[in-house]
Amino acid sequence: MSKEKHYRDWILRRCCAAVCACVLTLAAVVGFIVLVIYLALRPSKPSFYLQDVQLRSIDLSDPALSLNLQVTIASRNPNERVGVYYKTLDAFATYRDEPVTVPVALPAIYQGHKDASVWSPVLSGESVPVAAYAADAMRQDIAAGYVLLHVRVDGRVKWKVGSWVSGGYHLFVNCPALLAAWGGAAAGGAFAASAAAGGAAVPAGVNTTVSLKFTHPADCTVDV
């Protein structure tokens, strides 16, 4: 009987040890999952900067608006342990909240820890319909020697921690681009601007050479 009782106690101790080991392993796994989820759900959002804008043409002679410009946008991932997948990115320009170019798809990329990326898309719009007040305001701005555009990026991103990749999150970037009169006709700064009838600054059917240059690099607001 004593041997049998000793055997039962040994089995019981082994079972208790196995259960404790399973509980500790499960707790460690749960803790790791919680840590991964915490890092995935609370990463620092990437930083965006508008480095340059080359305004090539603005045509206001049509009831709609035609515009062509090249922009340089930089992005940096500030996270030390979280990577960023830029799955879809569409860049476009607006004036007074009116789109003035068609969206342009930017290349999808992966941005590692502390990495930086640069895009230089050409944004253009041919006969883009805009509200009458926006066209009139742009004519007045050109006559005054400045135009404030906004370069925007709309897309989706995913966070990557180790081999784990999160679901998609909406990304919206807004970059102010102030262009002002330039003393000399620097490359990419001078272009022919046409105004429709009713524009006091430029008579109908007359092309006037305008020189507007991007004033300085700008920080962008980022919402994720």
Side-chain angles (χ1 to χ4, degrees):
M1 291 294 294
S2 60
K3 290 184 177 181
E4 184 178 351
K5 182 177 182 301
H6 179 73
Y7 179 76
R8 286 200 302 267
D9 293 340
W10 179 80
I11 291 295
L12 181 61
R13 287 195 298 271
R14 290 295 300 272
C15 290
C16 290
V19 170
C20 290
C22 290
V23 170
L24 291 175
T25 301
L26 181 61
V29 171
V30 171
F32 177 78
I33 293 174
V34 170
L35 177 61
V36 168
I37 294 175
Y38 175 81
L39 292 175
L41 297 180
R42 293 184 60 87
S44 297
K45 57 189 177 184
S47 303
F48 277 76
Y49 311 93
L50 185 61
Q51 293 185 337
D52 191 30
V53 176
Q54 293 288 325
L55 184 58
R56 298 173 175 177
S57 66
I58 295 178
D59 188 356
L60 293 165
S61 60
D62 189 88
L65 183 149
S66 297
L67 181 145
N68 184 283
L69 69 159
Q70 183 170 13
V71 302
T72 301
I73 306 171
S75 169
R76 180 177 180 272
N77 175 14
N79 297 286
E80 295 183 353
R81 293 182 295 272
V82 181
V84 183
Y85 277 112
Y86 295 96
K87 304 299 291 183
T88 59
L89 294 173
D90 292 319
F92 58 99
T94 64
Y95 174 76
R96 300 205 173 194
D97 293 327
E98 292 271 345
V100 292
T101 68
V102 296
V104 173
L106 304 181
I109 62 169
Y110 171 72
Q111 199 172 62
H113 314 152
K114 299 291 186 178
D115 280 353
S117 308
V118 178
W119 298 270
S120 295
V122 173
L123 307 181
S124 62
E126 187 70 26
S127 298
V128 178
V130 296
Y133 82 88
D136 292 339
M138 182 171 284
R139 293 188 189 97
Q140 296 172 9
D141 287 350
I142 291 175
Y146 68 90
V147 175
L148 178 60
L149 301 174
H150 283 83
V151 177
R152 307 192 179 194
V153 179
D154 193 9
R156 295 191 70 80
V157 297
K158 292 184 177 183
W159 311 113
K160 182 176 183 295
V161 181
S163 60
W164 183 85
V165 179
S166 74
Y169 291 83
H170 182 245
L171 172 75
F172 186 75
V173 181
N174 186 12
C175 310
L178 178 61
L179 300 110
W182 189 259
F191 55 88
S194 302
V202 183
V206 176
N207 286 344
T208 301
T209 299
V210 180
S211 183
L212 295 175
K213 287 289 291 182
F214 185 50
T215 56
H216 55 80
D219 293 336
C220 308
T221 60
V222 181
D223 293 319
V224 180

